[in-house]
Amino acid sequence: MTLYHFGNCLALVYVPYHMAYKFSGISEYASFSKCVYAGGLYIFTQLCKMLLLATFFPDSDNSHESGEYDVLLEILKATVDFADLFGLYFALNSIPGKGHAKILTAAVGWASAEVLVTRSVFLWVGARGSEFSWRYVRACAEANVSLLQTAGCATLVWLRARSDLPPRLAPLVLSLLLLAPYRSLLEDALAAALSLSPWPLLALRAVHAAVVALAALAAYAVLAQQIAV
Amino acid sequence: MWLDQADGFAEIFKGYLPYYLLVVFPIFIIMSPVNPVAASHEFSVYRMQQYDLHNVPHGCRSSSFNLEGRSLSSWGTSRHCVVARLQDISVDQFVEIRNKAGALVLVLPKNITLLTDEEKEHIRLLEMAMMQQEINVPVYFANWSPEFEDIIADLQHSFITDDKSGTALEAMFNTVSSNGYQIVVSTSSPHKLESKPVTLHGKLFGRAGNTQTIVIAAHYDANSLVPELSTGADSNASGVAALLELARIFSRLYSVTSDRGGPSILFVLTSTGHSLNYFSTKKWLEEQLDSADATLLQDVSFIMCLDSISSGPLSMHVSKPPKPWTAAHSIKSRLRVPVVHKKINLADETLAWHHERFSIKRMTAFTVSSLQSHKDPSRSSILDTPSDASLNTLYTNIVELSRALASHIYNLTDENIQTHLYDEALSVDMESIKLWYNYLSSQPRAPHVVTTSQNGGVSAALERVLSKFVEVSVSVHATDRREPEHALYGPTRALLYVYSVKPAVFDLILTLAIVAYLTVLYFAMQVFPRFYEEYAKIVTGKAKVH
């Protein structure tokens, strides 16, 4: 399509991140450099993950060609995503401030880096071309969902790291954290089972992210109330 | 830590981030190369023929375009490229498109052999209309493919039209839901092709002392609207297959001295036929007649041209009825076919039949053909495809021809001797006919292709097979420098890209949707603290204490 279309897509990606940064109050903590730091950690984590994948896993291109879908291999690969949680943990640790500021700064920085690394080239090449596809608009909307998902994930990691986490919340937080790496795998499996088209799949992702985020928020609310008390 | 020191810098940075993007992006865009974007569809298409004959332009005169695709019913201006099935377009529609549209892409039927007679008749009429005069818009033909079928169906049911219809909401919905297609062919502009028509000839020498020569000639090119799809089975793969078979039979007969016939037989294959006014035949004749030892065509008893002999019983076309007691009359009576007499009309743009080239030079010549008239549209049709029925007819006709020739050469009249002879020596080999008939009708053989192919192509294949039977000489002809008899133009094929696009209004609507979404998001963030308070109350069962 046109450059204008690219602008549209860019607005759909960039503005929510900008608003999350501006209106959540974290900008008042002057923590832009912390966001950048979290982003740097994200990139470092991805490099580590790639190293792991490249060392211990067979070449995935070959299995794509043969069309076989090795469930166990996919699960093992998703397990490597636990590294993301450690990365988030380090990001949270290195950010000073109150709980919610920590979480949001880490989440915005982390998710921004993810968008920059995974989607910018894709959009630059795709959305600017003369061929129109809903794919690009969808990818932009997906970036919004991933911000929500990262925020939920960061909250869970922060909660798990607290020593004063109420014991009755611990199983919930732990199970949600353990499920986090397999999130996209589960969503894809469900989509395949229900043979969903891409737009409903996106809605599914959004609903899933929202549910996880609300659960994390509830746990956070309980903890925050407990600390205050 | 340097990150803490950077905070002050980050403050300035952050405040200007959106404005700074406004500067950086244009620079990026100017700097980044124009990337060739992969289209979702890419098709091989064949351009309509373009040639000049005696400086009169024919065919399609342009090649590149980049236009919006429309169906037959929805196109309106010269900014549209009409995409249609060949069998759907009527002659009137074509004339309108020729005058007003920007380009035309025609998709051939899925299976030409399955067309009904009515459809075939329609396509022939259309072909004639298209050949009639030169066309200034690019015209391309594409083979049938499911993807192309989808695009045509999409265009036919598309809501994109120029006239305002329905409510604004309806129009808005249409722009979002419908697909537009941008159709692009970028290829070199039409240029003259380096064409080298050739003539192959080889002689079987008869008994010493007999100077008579029988000439058998056929042209091996095909003519139709689309050079790359001109596979002409009847015209004139059939004639060439027959000539090769006759060469095979008589070379075997002539190889034994005792069986050798009196007259010599000269086989001539020419590379340009009726579409270019038998140019190579003309040049070849001039060369042979002007050369110092004009022995090749010294004592010609008759010239038999083979043209389109697979569609039915044969006829003999002559410019002058054969007189009794001449060789031509003898072969006529032995062939037992009707004679069609047509005088040469030099005022016509092209000669009617191949033999007229020889008749002009006062030689006895005739054409053997299944067609009754030289104006038969099947001589220049893309529908001229091979079939088993035609192959069987061709076989029967070759048997007839070889019998007639043999009985003329050996001057036999007695039926019994003939039957015996045919069984023994004149066995027409179905396999070799089939091989050559199928090979030739699988190759594009328009003059644009056969006279320009770099490493021989069909010409080289024919030269090789003919040289098994006779010693072949190849004459290469060139057109006159100052007044070229004809000129062929390329490109004959190109790649067609189809991009699916949305109308320009679509982006505006998308912007509106995104703005609405962002506004909702903005208010959601504004009310989030209040939401959190209520939510915490529900979750913990108590009011949050700050």
Side-chain angles (χ1 to χ4, degrees), chain A residues 36-160:
Chain A
V36 175
Y37 181 70
L41 262 176
Y42 167 80
I43 292 168
F44 179 71
T45 313
Q46 298 314 303
L47 286 176
C48 292
K49 271 166 63 181
M50 274 187 229
L51 214 63
L52 266 178
L53 284 173
T55 314
F56 296 112
F57 290 88
D59 191 6
S60 60
D61 291 342
N62 291 339
S63 65
H64 273 296
E65 273 165 25
S66 60
E68 286 168 32
Y69 191 79
D70 192 343
V71 180
L72 189 71
L73 187 70
E74 292 301 317
I75 291 175
L76 281 176
K77 272 188 196 168
T79 312
V80 177
D81 287 352
F82 273 116
D84 284 341
L85 301 182
F86 287 109
L88 267 176
Y89 174 71
F90 286 124
L92 285 167
N93 264 356
S94 63
I95 297 165
K98 291 176 87 174
H100 78 274
K102 258 185 185 225
I103 292 168
L104 279 172
T105 311
V108 169
W110 190 272
S112 305
E114 188 181 351
V115 164
L116 207 66
V117 172
T118 58
R119 303 203 198 273
S120 56
V121 174
F122 174 67
L123 278 183
W124 181 255
V125 173
R128 234 162 42 89
S130 29
E131 175 95 12
F132 171 80
S133 170
W134 282 109
R135 195 161 71 230
Y136 305 112
V137 182
R138 209 156 46 219
C140 295
E142 234 168 44
N144 292 352
V145 176
S146 87
L147 176 61
L148 186 64
Q149 195 261 331
T150 313
C153 226
T155 316
L156 290 172
V157 171
W158 181 78
L159 286 168
R160 183 75 211 120

Side-chain angles (χ1 to χ4, degrees), chain A residues 4 8 33 131-132 144 214, chain B residues 7 40 500 507 511 517 535:
Chain A
Y4 185 73
N8 265 341
S33 65
E131 175 95 12
F132 171 80
N144 292 352
L214 279 179
Chain B
D7 260 3
S40 61
S500 61
D507 266 336
T511 307
Y517 165 73
Y535 185 64

Side-chain angles (χ1 to χ4, degrees), chain B residues 326-507:
Chain B
T326 60
H329 192 269
S330 139
I331 195 99
K332 182 222 144 200
S333 56
R334 286 168 214 267
L335 264 174
R336 287 183 295 254
V337 292
V339 170
V340 182
H341 175 217
K342 185 199 157 292
K343 281 190 175 156
I344 302 175
N345 187 355
L346 286 171
D348 276 353
E349 193 189 12
T350 56
L351 293 175
W353 292 105
H354 199 171
H355 70 261
E356 293 184 358
R357 268 281 163 240
F358 299 94
S359 298
I360 288 175
K361 298 283 181 190
R362 302 191 177 284
M363 294 168 161
T364 316
F366 56 88
T367 299
V368 176
S369 172
S370 297
L371 304 175
Q372 289 303 308
S373 156
H374 65 280
K375 287 180 183 151
D376 198 306
S378 68
R379 287 179 92 195
S380 318
S381 174
I382 50 172
L383 300 178
D384 192 358
T385 48
S387 72
D388 283 344
S390 310
L391 185 61
N392 288 331
T393 318
L394 176 62
Y395 176 80
T396 334
N397 284 338
I398 293 176
V399 172
E400 287 295 315
L401 280 170
S402 59
R403 282 182 187 190
L405 261 182
S407 75
H408 171 78
I409 287 168
Y410 298 105
N411 203 9
L412 306 167
T413 42
D414 189 75
E415 287 290 327
N416 298 329
I417 301 169
Q418 282 181 36
T419 330
H420 174 70
L421 183 70
Y422 302 141
D423 289 345
E424 288 295 310
L426 284 185
S427 63
V428 175
D429 183 10
M430 185 64 166
E431 282 310 309
S432 87
I433 298 173
K434 192 174 173 181
L435 179 79
W436 282 98
Y437 178 72
N438 285 339
Y439 165 71
L440 288 167
S441 49
S442 69
Q443 300 290 317
R445 299 194 327 280
H448 298 75
V449 183
V450 285
T451 67
T452 58
S453 56
Q454 292 299 323
N455 43 12
V458 174
S459 305
L462 288 173
E463 187 192 335
R464 271 198 301 277
V465 63
L466 201 59
S467 62
K468 283 200 289 190
F469 313 127
V470 289
E471 200 164 311
V472 179
S473 324
V474 181
S475 346
V476 181
H477 315 295
T479 51
D480 193 72
R481 262 176 214 285
R482 255 172 294 164
E483 232 174 88
E485 291 87 345
H486 64 83
L488 305 170
Y489 293 84
T492 52
R493 61 198 308 166
L495 278 179
L496 177 130
Y497 300 97
V498 180
Y499 300 100
S500 61
V501 291
K502 292 280 183 184
V505 201
F506 171 78
D507 266 336

Side-chain angles (χ1 to χ4, degrees), chain B residues 209-242:
Chain B
N210 194 326
T211 54
Q212 278 195 333
T213 306
I214 295 170
V215 181
I216 302 173
H219 67 88
Y220 61 84
D221 69 329
N223 178 41
S224 81
L225 274 180
V226 203
E228 291 285 336
L229 299 175
S230 304
T231 52
D234 185 36
S235 167
N236 190 19
S238 62
V240 178

Side-chain angles (χ1 to χ4, degrees), chain B residues 42-333:
Chain B
E42 193 180 312
F43 299 100
S44 202
V45 287
Y46 310 104
R47 198 166 79 97
M48 190 179 154
Q49 64 177 2
Q50 178 186 0
Y51 65 98
D52 295 346
L53 189 58
H54 308 304
N55 289 323
V56 181
H58 287 267
C60 160
R61 314 302 293 181
S62 51
S63 59
S64 297
F65 65 91
N66 181 348
L67 298 164
E68 189 191 340
R70 287 295 178 91
S71 70
L72 273 178
S73 53
S74 67
W75 73 275
T77 72
S78 62
R79 284 176 287 116
H80 293 156
C81 162
V82 184
V83 183
R85 297 183 194 91
L86 183 59
Q87 60 271 43
D88 286 351
I89 182 170
S90 74
V91 172
D92 292 342
Q93 280 169 326
F94 169 72
V95 170
E96 211 184 329
I97 288 166
R98 185 177 68 195
N99 294 333
K100 288 181 195 150
L104 177 63
V105 176
L106 289 170
V107 180
L108 296 171
K110 186 177 180 181
N111 191 343
I112 284 178
T113 50
L114 293 182
L115 291 176
T116 61
D117 286 347
E118 271 170 40
E119 284 170 328
K120 281 185 179 170
E121 191 54 42
H122 171 74
I123 291 175
R124 286 204 186 98
L125 277 176
L126 188 69
E127 280 180 317
M128 268 152 71
M130 290 177 87
M131 282 188 183
Q132 237 166 32
Q133 67 182 88
E134 60 170 327
I135 303 168
N136 286 316
V137 302
V139 179
Y140 282 93
F141 290 78
N143 278 323
W144 189 92
S145 66
E147 293 86 12
F148 228 129
E149 188 67 26
D150 288 346
I151 289 173
I152 290 180
D154 227 9
L155 285 173
Q156 275 174 344
H157 304 118
S158 171
F159 296 108
I160 304 178
T161 46
D162 293 323
D163 43 286
K164 304 274 171 288
S165 59
T167 60
L169 191 72
E170 204 175 307
M172 225 155 94
F173 178 74
N174 285 346
T175 49
V176 176
S177 63
S178 59
N179 282 324
Y181 290 103
Q182 189 75 18
I183 297 178
V184 182
V185 171
S186 51
T187 175
S188 55
S189 57
H191 56 273
K192 270 187 195 175
L193 293 169
E194 196 74 31
S195 137
K196 285 199 175 66
V198 296
T199 301
L200 315 170
H201 67 89
K203 196 171 186 176
L204 278 179
F205 289 95
R207 267 199 294 271
N210 194 326
T211 54
Q212 278 195 333
T213 306
I214 295 170
V215 181
I216 302 173
H219 67 88
Y220 61 84
D221 69 329
N223 178 41
S224 81
L225 274 180
V226 203
E228 291 285 336
L229 299 175
S230 304
T231 52
D234 185 36
S235 167
N236 190 19
S238 62
V240 178
L243 184 140
L244 292 176
E245 186 60 18
L246 293 177
R248 189 186 69 79
I249 293 168
F250 285 99
S251 71
R252 218 176 50 185
L253 283 174
Y254 273 52
S255 63
V256 185
T257 322
S258 58
D259 287 352
R260 189 174 287 174
S264 306
I265 310 177
L266 181 65
F267 296 97
V268 183
L269 279 172
T270 68
S271 65
T272 51
H274 51 93
S275 64
L276 294 181
N277 206 6
Y278 305 104
F279 168 76
S280 41
T281 312
K282 179 185 167 200
K283 283 285 175 185
W284 179 79
L285 263 177
E286 280 170 4
E287 267 171 37
Q288 297 307 328
L289 295 175
D290 289 353
S291 69
D293 66 326
T295 47
L296 201 64
L297 294 173
Q298 211 168 34
D299 187 9
V300 174
S301 55
F302 62 82
I303 295 154
M304 179 165 78
C305 304
L306 305 174
D307 191 341
S308 317
I309 55 169
S310 69
S311 61
L314 298 173
S315 308
M316 188 168 166
H317 297 268
V318 293
S319 339
K320 211 168 87 180
K323 290 197 185 93
W325 312 116
T326 60
H329 192 269
S330 139
I331 195 99
K332 182 222 144 200
S333 56

